[in-house]
Amino acid sequence: MDDEWICGRFAEDEPWALGAVNPPVFENSVFTFETAEELGEAIRNEDERYVYWRGTNPTVDLAQRKLAALERGERAKCFGSGMGAISATISSLVSAGDHVLVLGAVYGPTTQFLRYLEKFGVTHTHVEDLAAADSAITASTRLLYFESPSYMAYAVVDIAGVAAWARERGLVTVMDNTWSTPLFQKPLTMGVDLVVHSLSKYVGGHSDLVGGVVVGPKRLIRPLALTEYQLYGAAMSPHDAARVIKGLRTLPVRMAAHQERGLAVAAFLDDHPAVRAVNHPGLPSHPGHAIALRQMSGFSSLFSLVLDTDSRQEVAAFLNKLRHFRIGVSWGGFESLVNAPALSTEESVRVAMGIPVGLVRLSVGLEPADTLIKDLGLALEELRA
């Protein structure tokens, strides 16, 4: 099925939509039944039946069906935040005494959650590559978690190779695919077991939504939906689901524009003498570019550069000089954003993650590329002065 059709019209012609061009938002918290027997059957299958808002409702379910179709997965479960999806997914796969392998750099709060699980007897090890993973795997390892492109460094891994390595060793794989969106990369088709996303980023697309999703086979999603989803209470609201649905309608158009503008800005920075490196997988100079071309159909506009400085003061001055890039966290909306981990991340964490002092993350929005390039150019020239 065509991705643009999935984003725009797939599953929107349900009888309950009554022909409305925007699917209705079901605000009710409770659904009732004709008989006690029907209620009992519905509760036993609350991952698919409408019983109580904490389980699911038609608006949320429509968003889930679209996201599952985009990722080529059997089922999807939407959460009230990206971390809601990540924490529930990891929790559903491990028990006390289990061990998790983390490949490459991943989202900071994900690492924080894995550290939190240590109090329940779940341990984890960070490894840089599969060679190191071979040495770190133990008899109690159950899960391999990774991102591609990776957090902050935007390194690219061979997804099919990683999935095959894990499968041979009996590990479940979970991959964060937020950077690429389901349009530009489909890890499930490359052997990954479960995919997670922050829907707050490109899928929502307008910085007015916080949400997350996990997508995968029914055998893994159903127990998660009946247990962790229900017990953690990180339910997505129907209003946020409606924003997801609207965001998906324009996602193909927006991602094409993000790709174009992001690559234009990255190419400018790649040739600038005040920049030591640009970490964008879409650039031919990126070490993982060849792998990216093989497993991705496009590139988003989130990437990092390393300024030619080791001074926090100069990094801060560079950010403060920018006029069209707003200083802030998150990404994927219309507005262009910038931040620098060295100015906000604990020093020991920064060093452990291998993040240079001069690393700056850019989220290129949908403003004209020439305007953004001029803004960066002026700030860089002042850095060199």
Side-chain angles (χ1 to χ4, degrees):
M1 190 180 299
D2 180 77
D3 281 350
E4 290 195 19
W5 176 262
I6 294 171
C7 286
R9 289 287 303 280
F10 175 72
E12 292 196 10
D13 296 325
E14 296 286 338
W16 53 258
L18 301 176
V21 294
N22 290 323
V25 179
F26 283 73
E27 296 182 308
N28 53 294
S29 60
V30 176
F31 295 82
T32 59
F33 300 85
E34 293 293 329
T35 67
E37 290 80 8
E38 187 181 358
L39 171 60
E41 191 275 335
I43 289 176
R44 287 189 293 273
N45 295 280
E46 198 169 350
D47 61 317
E48 295 180 314
R49 296 291 301 275
Y50 308 133
V51 178
Y52 183 61
W53 179 342
R54 192 180 64 188
T56 190
N57 83 355
T59 312
V60 176
D61 191 45
L62 176 56
Q64 291 173 165
R65 291 171 64 187
K66 284 177 173 285
L67 291 164
L70 279 176
E71 280 285 7
R72 306 299 189 262
E74 290 181 346
R75 295 281 299 280
K77 197 64 184 169
C78 284
F79 289 75
S81 71
M83 276 310 301
I86 291 169
S87 59
T89 299
I90 293 174
S91 297
S92 74
L93 299 169
V94 296
S95 301
D98 287 347
H99 175 250
V100 178
L101 277 176
V102 182
L103 179 65
V106 299
Y107 181 46
T110 302
T111 299
Q112 292 175 21
F113 179 71
L114 289 168
R115 290 173 180 162
Y116 174 78
L117 286 181
E118 290 175 359
K119 68 189 288 186
F120 302 107
V122 177
T123 59
H124 68 280
T125 304
H126 283 265
V127 295
E128 292 299 317
D129 51 35
L130 290 182
D134 268 321
S135 301
I137 193 172
T138 72
S140 61
T141 304
R142 298 288 177 265
L143 168 65
L144 177 67
Y145 188 98
F146 68 108
E147 299 180 12
S148 184
S150 66
Y151 183 63
M152 289 295 178
Y154 306 103
V156 175
V157 303
D158 180 347
I159 296 173
V162 168
W165 180 92
R167 189 164 52 251
E168 290 170 0
R169 290 156 179 80
L171 308 184
V172 177
T173 47
V174 178
M175 180 182 152
D176 188 329
N177 194 35
T178 307
W179 191 93
S180 297
T181 81
L183 293 183
F184 288 164
Q185 189 166 254
K186 300 186 187 299
L188 296 179
T189 67
M190 295 178 249
V192 171
D193 293 306
L194 290 169
V195 170
V196 292
H197 285 270
S198 168
L199 301 174
S200 318
K201 310 304 192 288
Y202 289 117
V203 171
H206 298 88
S207 301
D208 60 356
L209 158 71
V210 174
V213 70
V214 55
V215 187
K218 183 176 180 178
R219 64 180 176 82
L220 294 176
I221 298 295
R222 177 174 166 80
L224 184 161
L226 289 173
T227 307
E228 283 77 16
Y229 185 87
Q230 294 276 13
L231 296 179
Y232 285 11
M236 171 169 279
S237 78
H239 284 283
D240 283 337
R243 290 189 181 96
V244 169
I245 293 165
K246 289 183 179 180
L248 286 172
R249 287 178 169 183
T250 61
L251 184 64
V253 177
R254 288 187 288 107
M255 290 312 297
H258 277 298
Q259 175 175 238
E260 177 188 1
R261 288 158 174 75
L263 283 172
V265 172
F268 163 75
L269 294 169
D270 202 32
D271 291 330
H272 201 285
V275 176
R276 291 177 183 171
V278 177
N279 303 314
H280 191 309
L283 293 177
S285 59
H286 189 282
H289 183 65
I291 298 175
L293 290 178
R294 186 171 72 240
Q295 64 191 23
M296 299 167 68
S297 59
F299 302 96
S300 75
S301 60
L302 181 75
F303 63 96
S304 62
L305 64 138
V306 181
L307 297 172
D308 189 22
T309 182
D310 297 309
S311 164
R312 285 179 177 78
Q313 291 73 24
E314 290 186 343
V315 172
F318 171 76
L319 266 62
N320 292 337
K321 180 67 177 176
L322 294 169
R323 292 294 172 263
H324 294 285
F325 281 86
R326 299 184 183 184
I327 300 172
V329 299
S330 198
W331 41 277
F334 170 86
E335 65 285 342
S336 293
L337 297 171
V338 62
N339 71 21
L343 303 180
S344 57
T345 304
E346 183 181 336
E347 181 65 8
S348 61
V349 174
R350 182 192 67 78
V351 173
M353 292 180 65
I355 297 176
V357 171
L359 186 140
V360 172
R361 189 180 75 176
L362 298 179
S363 172
V364 176
L366 297 177
E367 304 95 338
D370 289 347
T371 300
L372 300 177
I373 288 171
K374 182 178 180 180
D375 192 27
L376 290 164
L378 291 173
L380 289 169
E381 289 305 315
E382 185 161 309
L383 179 67
R384 295 182 67 202

